[in-house]
């Protein structure tokens, strides 16, 4: 990788930072955050402004350009990549290291007195604006919103904002109609005495209207906002997508409806002026609800006294609890996904010894098998296909420069998933196609013990996911080992593979309590730098647990694995398992045989079926 | 218990709320918090203002009196007690229930427009002031500091502020001289570029100067503040305590010293004016450090731009990590404490069947045995001596009205501890003097499994205590059981039995990472309302752990029990223990035998020794 030469671009940016055509008054610094106007984790090419200006295209990073300097803040995952991708116009600010200043502190240290710091108010979340603005103000500077995005001003060949056709999901997939979702949302609004709700996250718009899109790779969402009143529904969306008869029919745009269910379709770009109009008409006590992570631009459009901000919206919370149709869809998707992986692993077992399978070929083959399955839409994230030392790079994605050939001498880690019309998958298996060393088996078995400890955990209703994180680490900790990432994230139902508001992590963020119907991943790991990586990941469904007693009538919960792909028994040191753990593995494999075996049979995939049977032979533990 | 009649008192309070003698302008509401000017958990009688005005003397509660209403906020532990102790002038505001308004919201709902709400600025912590003031201001009211405490104004027979003699601790107890502690503090101040440090917590003053007092029951502290500059030391303390030659000598008050170690002794009441004088002399960038829980009065004395507030002070953090002398002292204290408890349990075993031992008698007997030990000072908290259903009341303290007789038919729970000059103890044992039921044994064994899971846990350096909390609950959760309190708290070294900044709790407060030398309690429990309570509590020391591997060279930690009192094997259902757990119990009992046995022998307590030997017979687990 050679760095992007940014001298000319930075010169142009510094010009527009002073140009009255773009800014009311010159700005002495300009901030380029990672996100889009919806605070999405995955963004469209047209929103990759930070990558455009700097060359650094990792998933997290913030660029700040002043008249003299250009600096990039990113975290430990990307120190090396950022250093390789950026030329020496850029200073790398390594977040998490002791001596690295915060963006605000750095700005204060380099800016001339009374400076103006510009930022696109649509890109910066309101909570971040508040924090930054406070520090700058107390040092005599000002954070100012710059309406026109200054990167867009110099990005002559900026790709168009995608505007792909929509997919409508009927009740068999969603379980609840968009009308009923609106009714439920209005009930929540009434409970909180809120009159308006602004939907800003793309997956929340998609979920609310039972629509899907493909504007962003891996995430089946589309660019839109919605503003829900007690008697009105406004959907802000561009293009001719609303001309599609299926969409018009789905949204009942041409039907005579009660006025409170009549959807007014408006241009995507009119959200701000419409929100300002709504705000202008508010009577006292008519509050407007939005996420505290919504953009500064939209938040500011609502006078402070009328704002009702929460970390999680009622849509985010409702979306996390899957109904019976969604759960059944997720089950179906995971069965198909397991079929594809059985095919893949059977194929790898034969091909790897020949020395012709690279990480990229394996990833492509995984996609090929998945694409043969019904209702396959696309992958749910970039496949992590890594062997040997590449497996220790947690967010690895094979590229030609790093592409390694799979062999019988190295561990292979595959973290992959897909979007099917009935559900989203995300599964990691770690395999050895030769003979693993005792140490590799030992590490794998500790990770497996952690995986089982979470999967089999029983815990009271209302427990937050972060309280389960240590269960996943206990076996590793006992031997002085650990892994430096969380244990699980929420998973959407044919939606984003990472979604809030629940998760399993040592980081104590404001996670919502787990409840039956939520779906999370369970993915402990162990990574030995320069050597190998192990991760075992299932997607699991929160279900009620039967317990002997029932303290304070609270009820208990546990997990049911939706992922049904064999865990390579060759990698397990059975002597390190308890009988209970051994039984868990055998029960799990028995279920894989029954459920996936039947589907392989149905699809006539007999060789993969034989592989499945072989891989699910019960473990036997010496007493 | 009959309620306190408060009609006349409330009338008087409402008068002074309007009297120009006490308030600049009339206040329409007056807040009476629980605490003292040092935000202490345990308070002196003269600070029990909320109990005086309302009759309710639980450890937590806030009273607010308006012209029309008198309301008391307290939590679930005290709903019953508060209802019994208060007359019907008072409304009980049950915190934690859905419909209970916050103090601010309630004030907003009852106050006439533009009201003034008064509070003693020395009693209210700055962070609480800020929160409350903001809500009141946004509703058009004002929170105002009332210099003279209005309860004191009407409390004609208010007890005097205690001013008891001081105890000096030499190096053999403290390991570090106060001079060296000042040097270390100034180093921390220099690191943070802070010029002044204000010591407001009583245990922090005591620790810093290696002094102890007895102004507050159970906590060996004394009323004082300190202000440490880079070249000055000011100690604010009253009475003739500074006349004591031992204290003068200890603090080197009459020695010619380098000026930076010369202690200026000032009246306790002059802290505010002195702090204002310090503040007036500050040059730009000369910051003053204090806890964000310090009183509003002291915080306000420092102009905002000069304040440096942190949740935990450097003294709090240094105090938590015990040095070798303190650790050895704690070990000695726990050995003596175990001797006293062996004597007690041996005595109870003989006396309980006679039917003459009440909860109060047992508690008194425990104190008697403890007081026979060397360097005994006082108890470290009010003894929880509870049998049968009283055991299920987590914060129970026997009083004549509730005093129950111990019997061979009920479980007995004793949670008690003492202050010795070399250390502080806190231990809970749950015993049966007859034959426990299978269910009682089952519950006890789950609690024991949780206790062991924490005590034997191995975890990376830098782990926060809250990540260990679920280990204590896992066995209970498996059966649908749980307990509604945290698992552990920091313990002082001949200081407060509850201290920050570490602990083990599902509540994710800002606990500091555990490190070797910290001391916490490990006390899971199970409580069956109306029936019985089980709790097993040891005080444990954080020590380095030897592990097979050492990921990222982080090192690992584990716990060593300092408490060495037999855990009643009669209560254990051995079939529910793993072999590892069984070995833990046997190893623990072996250590009790060796260490406590030797001390019982040395003290010639042969009957108690025989009891110890009997109670520490190894468990045998069927294979």
């Amino acid at each position: 990788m050679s760095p992007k030469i940014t001298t000319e671009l930075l010169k142009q940016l510094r010009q527009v930072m002073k140009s009255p055509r773009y800014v009311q008054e010159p700005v002495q610094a300009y901030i380029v955050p990672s996100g889009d106007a919806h605070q999405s984790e995955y963004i469209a090419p047209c929103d990759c402004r930070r990558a455009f200006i700097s060359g650094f295209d990792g998933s997290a990073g913030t660029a700040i350009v002043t008249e003299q300097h250009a600096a990039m803040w990113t975290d430990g995952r990307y120190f090396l990549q950022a250093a390789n991708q950026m030329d020496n116009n850029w200073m790398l600010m390594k977040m998490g290291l002791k001596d690295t200043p915060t963006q605000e502190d750095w700005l204060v240290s380099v800016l001339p007195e009374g400076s103006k710091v510009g930022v696109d108010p649509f890109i910066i979340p309101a909570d971040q604006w508040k924090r930054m603005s406070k520090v700058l103000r107390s040092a005599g500077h000002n954070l100012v919103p710059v309406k026109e995005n200054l990167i867009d001003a110099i990005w002559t060949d900026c790709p168009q904002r995608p505007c792909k056709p929509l997919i409508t999901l009927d009740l068999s997939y969603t379980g609840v109609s968009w009308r009923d979702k609106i009714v439920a949302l209005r009930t929540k609004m009434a409970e909180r005495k809120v009159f308006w709700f602004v939907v800003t996250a793309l997956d929340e718009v998609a979920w609310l209207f039972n629509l899907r899109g493909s504007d962003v790779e891996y995430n089946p969402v589309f660019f839109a906002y919605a503003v829900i009143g007690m008697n009105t529904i406004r959907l802000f969306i561009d293009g001719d997508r609303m001309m599609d008869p299926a969409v018009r029919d789905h949204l009942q745009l041409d039907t005579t409806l009660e006025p409170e269910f009549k959807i007014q379709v408006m241009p995507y770009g009119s959200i701000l002026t419409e929100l300002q109009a709504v705000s202008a008409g508010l009577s006292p006590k008519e509050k407007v609800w939005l996420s505290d992570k919504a953009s500064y631009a939209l938040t500011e459009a609502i006078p402070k006294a009328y704002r009702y901000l929460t970390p999680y919206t009622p849509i985010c919370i409702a979306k996390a609890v899957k109904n019976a149709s969604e759960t059944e869809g997720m089950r179906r998707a995971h069965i198909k996904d397991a079929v594809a992986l059985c095919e893949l692993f059977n194929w790898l077992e034969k091909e790897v010894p020949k020395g012709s399978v690279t990480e990229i070929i394996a990833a492509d083959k995984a996609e090929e098998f998945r694409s043969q399955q019904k209702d396959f839409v696309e992958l749910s994230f970039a496949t992590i296909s890594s062997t040997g030392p590449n497996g220790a790079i947690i967010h690895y994605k094979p590229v030609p420069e790093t592409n390694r050939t799979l062999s019988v001498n190295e561990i292979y880690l595959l973290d992959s998933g897909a979007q099917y019309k009935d559900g989203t998958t995300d599964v990691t298996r770690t395999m050895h196609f030769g003979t693993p060393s005792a140490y590799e088996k030992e590490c794998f078995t500790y990770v497996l013990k952690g995986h089982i400890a979470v999967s089999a955990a029983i815990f009271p209703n209302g427990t937050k996911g972060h309280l389960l994180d240590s269960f996943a680490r206990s076996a590793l900790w006992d031997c002085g080992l650990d892994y430096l990432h969380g244990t699980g994230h929420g998973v959407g139902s044919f939606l984003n593979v990472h979604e809030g508001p629940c998760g399993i992590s040592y980081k104590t963020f404001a996670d919502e309590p787990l409840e039956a119907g939520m779906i999370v991943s369970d993915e402990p790991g162990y990574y030995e730098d320069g050597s190998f990586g192990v991760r075992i990941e299932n997607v699991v469904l929160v279900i009620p647990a039967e317990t002997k007693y029932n303290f304070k009538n609270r009820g208990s919960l546990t997990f049911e694995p939706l992922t049904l792909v064999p865990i390579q028994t060759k990698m397990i040191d059975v002597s390190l398992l308890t009988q209970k753990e051994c039984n868990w593995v055998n029960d799990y494999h028995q279920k894989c045989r029954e459920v996936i075996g039947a589907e392989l049979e149905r699809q006539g995939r007999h060789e993969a079926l034989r592989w499945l049977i072989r891989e699910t032979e019960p473990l036997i533990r010496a007493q």
Side-chain angles (χ1 to χ4, degrees), chain A:
Chain A
M1 284 187 274
S2 56
K4 174 165 183 170
I5 304 305
T6 59
T7 311
E8 186 53 34
L9 281 179
L10 287 170
K11 200 175 133 195
Q12 289 172 13
L13 177 58
R14 285 172 179 135
Q15 273 163 0
V16 297
M17 282 162 61
K18 287 180 289 195
S19 157
R21 219 182 115 187
Y22 299 101
V23 289
Q24 275 188 314
E25 284 186 84
V27 296
Q28 284 69 46
Y30 188 66
I31 305 174
V32 188
S34 273
D36 64 12
H38 306 270
Q39 285 64 54
S40 306
E41 184 189 3
Y42 292 75
I43 56 177
C46 61
D47 287 317
C48 298
R49 300 181 180 95
R50 185 250 305 150
F52 168 76
I53 191 67
S54 70
F56 167 56
D57 67 0
S59 74
T62 298
I64 302 185
V65 176
T66 68
E67 285 157 329
Q68 307 291 336
H69 308 281
M72 175 69 68
W73 279 257
T74 190
D75 63 65
R77 291 174 295 172
Y78 294 117
F79 293 166
L80 204 65
Q81 180 179 334
N84 285 336
Q85 293 184 323
M86 300 192 304
D87 68 11
N88 61 10
N89 285 303
W90 289 86
M91 292 189 282
L92 180 55
M93 298 297 200
K94 297 181 174 185
M95 289 165 71
L97 299 197
K98 244 188 188 168
D99 297 334
T100 305
T102 63
Q103 293 160 26
E104 302 90 293
D105 288 348
W106 180 78
L107 279 168
V108 169
S109 74
V110 301
L111 285 178
E113 251 174 71
S115 285
K116 291 199 182 329
V117 177
V119 68
D120 181 340
F122 269 96
I123 306 297
I124 188 166
D127 57 350
Q128 203 173 314
W129 170 287
K130 197 175 165 186
R131 201 176 56 240
M132 204 148 200
S133 173
K134 197 177 165 186
V135 177
L136 290 175
R137 204 170 42 236
S138 80
H141 308 296
N142 260 304
L143 187 61
V144 296
V146 178
K147 273 186 195 151
E148 187 149 356
N149 190 293
L150 298 188
I151 301 297
D152 294 359
I154 62 168
W155 194 354
T156 44
D157 56 347
C158 174
Q160 281 239 304
R161 183 160 301 280
C163 198
K164 307 259 185 71
L166 302 184
I167 302 172
T168 62
L169 291 182
D170 65 32
L171 268 183
S172 69
Y173 291 103
T174 65
V176 180
S177 68
W178 63 261
R179 278 180 66 133
D180 287 345
K181 287 181 179 178
I182 296 273
V183 170
L185 174 61
R186 285 181 177 147
T187 306
K188 289 275 172 210
M189 288 161 62
E191 272 172 21
R192 308 279 186 109
K193 301 194 177 96
V194 161
F195 281 69
W196 298 89
F197 183 84
V198 187
V199 197
T200 59
L202 298 184
D203 62 337
E204 296 190 14
V205 180
W207 179 86
L208 183 61
F209 292 102
N210 292 335
L211 291 170
R212 297 296 186 266
S214 53
D215 289 354
V216 178
E217 201 181 6
Y218 305 127
N219 291 176
V221 296
F222 52 91
F223 285 102
Y225 292 101
V227 176
I228 313 299
M230 293 312 268
N231 298 300
T232 56
I233 304 172
R234 288 173 209 175
L235 178 60
F236 300 80
I237 185 166
D238 271 352
D240 49 9
R241 308 194 264 202
M242 289 297 133
M243 295 297 108
D244 180 343
V247 172
R248 298 196 72 80
D249 185 46
H250 174 83
L251 296 178
Q252 299 181 273
L253 295 182
D254 305 311
T255 319
T256 310
L257 284 176
E258 310 91 299
E260 67 267 33
F261 293 112
K262 189 82 202 157
I263 297 176
Q264 298 166 260
V265 178
M266 297 182 160
Y268 176 70
S270 70
I271 175 74
L272 186 61
T273 45
E274 278 300 318
L275 201 53
Q276 283 162 339
V278 163
S279 295
L282 292 173
S283 336
K285 301 211 165 181
E286 283 195 15
K287 297 241 176 193
V288 182
W289 194 346
L290 73 174
S291 162
D292 66 0
K293 271 144 213 94
S295 69
Y296 175 74
L298 295 192
T299 310
E300 271 303 295
I302 305 153
K304 211 170 169 180
Y306 296 97
R307 279 179 221 157
Y308 182 74
L309 306 181
T310 56
Y312 295 113
T313 69
I315 296 183
C316 174
I317 293 169
K319 174 166 64 62
V321 183
K322 274 69 176 176
N323 60 43
S325 306
E326 290 171 321
T327 308
E328 279 318 302
M330 285 294 267
R331 276 188 219 283
R332 280 197 307 274
H334 280 82
I335 292 170
K336 293 182 285 188
D337 210 55
V339 165
L341 286 186
C342 289
E343 282 282 14
L344 175 75
F345 291 131
N346 174 52
W347 181 83
L348 285 176
E349 211 173 83
K350 289 183 303 180
E351 298 300 321
V352 168
K354 301 178 189 163
S356 57
V357 182
T358 65
E359 294 167 341
I360 293 177
I361 290 173
D364 290 347
K365 200 74 190 174
E367 182 166 1
E368 184 191 323
F369 284 123
R370 282 190 163 108
S371 69
Q372 295 165 2
Q373 294 298 315
K374 188 176 168 228
D375 279 345
F376 171 84
V377 178
E378 59 171 333
L379 297 186
S380 57
F381 58 96
T383 299
I384 300 176
S385 170
S386 56
T387 188
N390 288 342
I393 303 166
I394 296 169
H395 289 88
Y396 180 77
K397 180 193 158 180
V399 290
E401 291 87 342
T402 62
N403 194 19
R404 214 175 159 84
T405 301
L406 277 63
S407 87
V408 294
N409 303 313
E410 289 182 343
I411 286 184
Y412 176 63
L413 185 158
L414 178 74
D415 185 351
S416 61
Q419 299 287 2
Y420 301 90
K421 220 176 141 185
D422 39 15
T424 303
T425 67
D426 180 1
V427 44
T428 309
R429 285 295 179 268
T430 305
M431 319 278 283
H432 202 294
F433 299 104
T435 307
S437 72
Y439 179 61
E440 287 168 338
K441 287 172 70 174
E442 184 185 355
C443 295
F444 182 94
T445 308
Y446 295 146
V447 173
L448 175 62
K449 285 167 82 81
H451 179 94
I452 297 172
V454 169
S455 196
I458 293 171
F459 49 91
N461 241 319
T463 300
K464 293 185 172 193
H466 69 256
L467 291 170
L468 308 180
D469 184 74
S470 297
F471 290 155
R473 299 175 199 274
S474 182
L476 287 161
W477 283 357
D478 279 347
C479 295
L481 303 179
D482 198 6
Y483 55 95
L484 302 182
H485 60 71
T487 300
H489 53 80
V491 179
S493 176
F494 184 28
L495 258 182
N496 296 358
V497 72
H498 295 164
E499 68 167 28
C502 55
I504 302 175
S505 176
Y506 59 96
K507 290 171 205 146
T508 47
F509 55 100
D511 54 340
E512 288 288 307
L514 293 171
E515 56 178 294
M518 284 180 166
I519 292 178
V520 296
S521 69
D522 169 14
E523 47 180 317
Y526 175 69
Y527 310 93
E528 187 117 334
D529 281 348
S531 183
F532 66 88
V534 170
R535 185 159 63 249
I536 304 173
E537 176 187 23
N538 280 352
V539 168
V540 295
L541 170 70
V542 182
I543 57 168
E546 291 298 317
T547 53
K548 189 168 174 189
Y549 306 112
N550 187 6
F551 181 64
K552 304 256 180 214
N553 270 313
R554 281 194 301 179
S556 294
L557 299 172
T558 187
F559 297 111
E560 176 199 326
L562 295 178
T563 307
L564 292 172
V565 177
I567 296 165
Q568 200 179 36
T569 50
K570 183 203 280 186
M571 287 292 295
I572 301 174
D573 180 343
V574 185
S575 73
L576 296 175
L577 296 185
T578 64
Q579 189 58 52
K580 222 171 130 182
E581 289 163 343
C582 198
N583 294 346
W584 186 94
V585 172
N586 289 341
D587 292 347
Y588 179 73
H589 278 159
Q590 180 59 30
K591 192 165 175 193
C592 290
R593 265 193 194 185
E594 284 169 16
V595 178
I596 308 307
E599 181 66 16
L600 284 166
E601 182 76 52
R602 209 187 56 77
Q603 295 193 15
R605 296 174 182 271
H606 299 295
E607 197 179 318
L609 175 58
R610 280 193 296 278
W611 177 88
L612 171 71
I613 300 292
R614 242 182 7 251
E615 286 293 307
T616 51
E617 277 299 315
L619 296 177
I620 297 162
R621 187 171 162 272
Q623 291 296 320

